[in-house]
Each structure stands twice: as C-alpha cells, then as structure tokens.
Amino acid sequence: MSWVAAGSLVLGVVSTKKSSDASKNAAKAATQDAEAQAKLQREQIVQLGLFAQQEHFDRLRDMSQTIREVDSVAAFMNRQDRSVEAIKRKLKKDFGEDIRRSTTQTLLQQYQISLGADATIARGQSQAKAYKSQAKQTLLDGALNLASVVG
C-alpha cells in the first residue's frame, strides 16, 4: 500500500469519526435544549399557581370587605332581618362560583403548560434519536467506503 493510499485511509477514518462525533454532540445538545425549555415551562406552572393563590386571597379579602359593608349599611338602616342574610348568602355563593371558575381555569392552564413541557421533551428525544441514527449511518458509510478503498 502506498503512502497516498494510507493517507487517504487515515483521512477517511478521521473524517468519519469527526462527523459521527458531531452528530452525537448535536443529539446531546438537542436533549439538553429540550430539557431547558421544559424546565422553563414547569417554572411557569409554579408561577401560575402562586399567582392563582394570591388572586384567591385577594378575592377572599374583597368578599370579607363586601360583607362588612353590607353589615354596615344594614346597621345604619337599622335592619337585621332575613333580607340582609339573603344578601350575604348570595354574595358568598357568587364569590364561591367565581373562585371555582378561577381555580378550574388555573388548573387547565397548568395542565396545558405541562403537556407542552412533555411535548418539548418528546421532541428533543426524537431529535436526539435522529442525530444518533445519523451518527451510526455515518460510521457505516465510512466503513463501507474504507472497505472499498482497502479491498
């Protein structure tokens, strides 16, 4: 075997290995990128929960304030009958429905974000798998090319 042929053989091996390594590194980067994006999405879920909790406390404070105002107006008008209690019950019922609606909406948003995070991870894994397959194919093609050069 001549020096030129040996040099071509070494160059082919090195080129194939570098190309395969690049694909493997791309696979690793795709997985890491997907995990980072999913982490951000999961942090959004936590932030959304904290925001919903603060909103809930604000609503409770508003309800208590409104009930105190109804009590004040009733006392000013010198009324303490069933109509005042009916107004309070209606306020509590309306606030309860509003809180349930808000809670349901928050849970739905958190679920959608969670699904998005899972989809991001799946896309990253799929992309990584494609890069790994590409790396294997590069090694196989390189081996076949080298076999044809040697043989």
Side-chain angles (χ1 to χ4, degrees):
M1 182 185 302
S2 72
W3 286 104
V4 173
S8 294
L9 185 65
V10 169
L11 186 60
V13 169
V14 169
S15 174
T16 299
K17 176 70 171 137
K18 284 192 179 269
S19 180
S20 175
D21 287 347
S23 292
K24 288 178 184 177
N25 289 338
K28 186 176 180 180
T31 301
Q32 289 174 342
D33 184 46
E35 288 172 355
Q37 288 178 6
K39 182 180 178 184
L40 289 175
Q41 289 171 319
R42 295 197 195 293
E43 287 173 2
Q44 284 179 340
I45 292 172
V46 171
Q47 291 299 320
L48 188 60
L50 293 173
F51 176 75
Q53 186 178 23
Q54 183 60 47
E55 195 175 58
H56 175 74
F57 291 142
D58 291 345
R59 281 192 176 100
L60 288 176
R61 187 190 64 238
D62 292 346
M63 182 186 73
S64 297
Q65 178 64 32
T66 304
I67 289 175
R68 282 194 301 272
E69 289 171 2
V70 167
D71 286 340
S72 296
V73 169
F76 177 74
M77 296 174 64
N78 200 20
R79 293 190 62 171
Q80 294 297 330
D81 54 12
R82 290 182 297 169
S83 62
V84 173
E85 293 304 316
I87 291 170
K88 287 186 203 178
R89 277 194 307 275
K90 175 75 169 121
L91 283 171
K92 288 177 183 178
K93 180 182 174 195
D94 290 347
F95 275 105
E97 288 174 2
D98 191 36
I99 288 171
R100 277 190 294 281
R101 192 175 314 117
S102 176
T103 301
T104 302
Q105 181 67 28
T106 299
L107 290 173
L108 179 62
Q109 288 173 337
Q110 287 176 324
Y111 177 70
Q112 289 171 339
I113 293 171
S114 178
L115 286 178
D118 292 345
T120 299
I121 293 288
R123 271 193 306 276
Q125 289 172 343
S126 176
Q127 204 172 21
K129 193 174 186 181
Y131 283 127
K132 287 176 184 176
S133 294
Q134 183 179 1
K136 289 176 186 175
Q137 186 63 41
T138 300
L139 288 174
L140 181 61
D141 289 344
L144 290 175
N145 287 338
L146 293 175
S148 68
V149 169
V150 172

